Amino acid sequence: EVQLVESGGGLVQAGGSLRLSCVASGFTFDDYAIGWFRQAPGKEREGVSGISPSDGSAYYADSVKGRFTISSDNAKNTVYLQMNSLEPEDTAVYYCAAEFEHWGWGRAWYVDDEYNYWGQGTQVTVSS
């Protein structure tokens, strides 16, 4: 059974940091790309960051570049999202998702329809 389990969300003041974790199981970790998405109330889901665990290539939305860092620990089948300098606009439910990696994945890492598996989400709330 494929599972993606997120953790690490919470309430933090603006300027603070959180680290989200996404633990994957039920599939060959190196064969899949992992994306982080978020959805705020009343807004569409948007891509935040993506990584290819097989080669480490990483991608970021413009809104989080320089503040968020994605990484993977292949031995633990885990992808992390380190979020620094958090802003109230970062408040959302954060989801990790897995997509079977194919040539050109990086060009559309932010397209949620491409992802096969999703976690249940973890709430991040940033107070001003």
Side-chain angles (χ1 to χ4, degrees), residues 101-117:
E101 192 173 355
H102 57 276
W103 185 86
W105 162 78
R107 297 180 186 179
W109 66 269
Y110 52 89
V111 178
D112 55 1
D113 287 351
E114 297 289 319
Y115 287 79
N116 308 104
Y117 307 110

Side-chain angles (χ1 to χ4, degrees), residues 1-6 22-34 77 96-100 115-120:
E1 179 189 5
V2 172
Q3 277 195 317
L4 295 169
V5 180
E6 304 99 333
C22 172
V23 180
S25 61
F27 60 89
T28 303
F29 190 66
D30 286 356
D31 288 344
Y32 282 74
I34 304 294
N77 284 7
C96 68
E99 174 185 352
F100 186 78
Y115 287 79
N116 308 104
Y117 307 110
W118 290 81
Q120 81 289 350

Side-chain angles (χ1 to χ4, degrees), residues 4-28:
L4 295 169
V5 180
E6 304 99 333
S7 62
L11 173 64
V12 65
Q13 288 188 331
S17 299
L18 285 173
R19 188 177 80 157
L20 305 184
S21 300
C22 172
V23 180
S25 61
F27 60 89
T28 303

Side-chain angles (χ1 to χ4, degrees), residues 4-123:
L4 295 169
V5 180
E6 304 99 333
S7 62
L11 173 64
V12 65
Q13 288 188 331
S17 299
L18 285 173
R19 188 177 80 157
L20 305 184
S21 300
C22 172
V23 180
S25 61
F27 60 89
T28 303
F29 190 66
D30 286 356
D31 288 344
Y32 282 74
I34 304 294
W36 281 100
F37 293 79
R38 66 186 180 186
Q39 187 165 24
K43 294 187 177 180
E44 291 188 355
R45 187 163 57 191
E46 63 173 348
V48 175
S49 184
I51 190 168
S52 166
S54 62
D55 65 14
S57 53
Y59 303 87
Y60 298 92
D62 288 343
S63 59
V64 306
K65 278 180 183 176
R67 300 189 298 124
F68 292 10
T69 303
I70 193 170
S71 61
S72 69
D73 184 336
N74 293 12
K76 296 182 179 179
N77 284 7
T78 301
V79 169
Y80 303 98
L81 185 68
Q82 178 67 44
M83 305 187 297
N84 299 329
S85 302
L86 283 162
E87 304 168 351
E89 293 73 22
D90 296 316
T91 295
V93 178
Y94 284 69
Y95 301 89
C96 68
E99 174 185 352
F100 186 78
E101 192 173 355
H102 57 276
W103 185 86
W105 162 78
R107 297 180 186 179
W109 66 269
Y110 52 89
V111 178
D112 55 1
D113 287 351
E114 297 289 319
Y115 287 79
N116 308 104
Y117 307 110
W118 290 81
Q120 81 289 350
T122 185
Q123 176 71 47

